[in-house]
Amino acid sequence: MDCLFCKIIDREIPADIVYEDDAVLAFNDINPQAPSHLLIVPKLHIATLNDIEEGDLALVGRLQYTAARLAAEKGFAEAGYRVVMNCNDQGGQTVYHIHMHLMGGRRFTWPAG
Ligand code: AMP
Ligand code: ZN
């Protein structure tokens, strides 16, 4: 499948991997928007949030749980952080394999920036 994140999962393309288990991979974003910017992806290819099915709910929970665990490991869980999932064109999605952005190490404003 011609999917960038599947290729990273399969080690066909290198990435700065920080966490892996049987269902999830996390690596540093190549274009970080914060001092720490990780992408947390399921090993299962799901193109967008719209394609999540009921059978995937535990997996999506794993993404969130992994984000919180990595935030703690990186040392910014208490200070705070932001997680983002973009969906489709207007949502700013550019890689069509669902992923959670985990950003920490600076203050975020809402709704912009
Ligand atoms: P999104 O725009 O929500 O689909 O997020 C895609 C993210 O993937 C962007 O933040 C990109 O900087 C990041 N990205 C693209 N290519 C790579 C890569 N080869 N390794 C790590 N991150 C990447
Ligand atoms: Zn994929």
Side-chain angles (χ1 to χ4, degrees), residues 20-84:
E20 180 170 26
D21 63 29
D22 58 318
V24 164
L25 189 76
F27 48 92
N28 281 308
D29 195 295
I30 206 167
N31 182 23
Q33 303 300 311
S36 183
H37 184 169
L38 306 180
L39 299 175
I40 303 159
V41 308
K43 289 186 172 177
L44 179 70
H45 179 88
I46 301 171
T48 80
L49 277 175
N50 295 339
D51 301 302
I52 291 168
E53 297 175 0
E54 263 197 81
D56 304 322
L57 296 184
L59 184 56
V60 176
R62 287 277 283 274
L63 300 181
Q64 187 71 75
Y65 182 65
T66 303
R69 296 263 314 276
L70 290 173
E73 212 171 274
K74 295 267 174 193
F76 54 73
E78 293 305 320
Y81 55 93
R82 181 164 288 185
V83 292
V84 173

Side-chain angles (χ1 to χ4, degrees), residues 1 3 5-6 45 97:
M1 190 187 298
C3 168
F5 289 171
C6 281
H45 179 88
H97 177 133

Side-chain angles (χ1 to χ4, degrees), residues 4-5 8 13-16 27-33 37 39 84-87 91-97 99 101:
L4 177 64
F5 289 171
I8 287 176
I13 289 175
D16 190 5
F27 48 92
N28 281 308
D29 195 295
I30 206 167
N31 182 23
Q33 303 300 311
H37 184 169
L39 299 175
V84 173
M85 291 182 82
N86 297 323
C87 184
Q93 186 173 7
T94 59
V95 178
Y96 283 78
H97 177 133
H99 49 281
H101 296 260

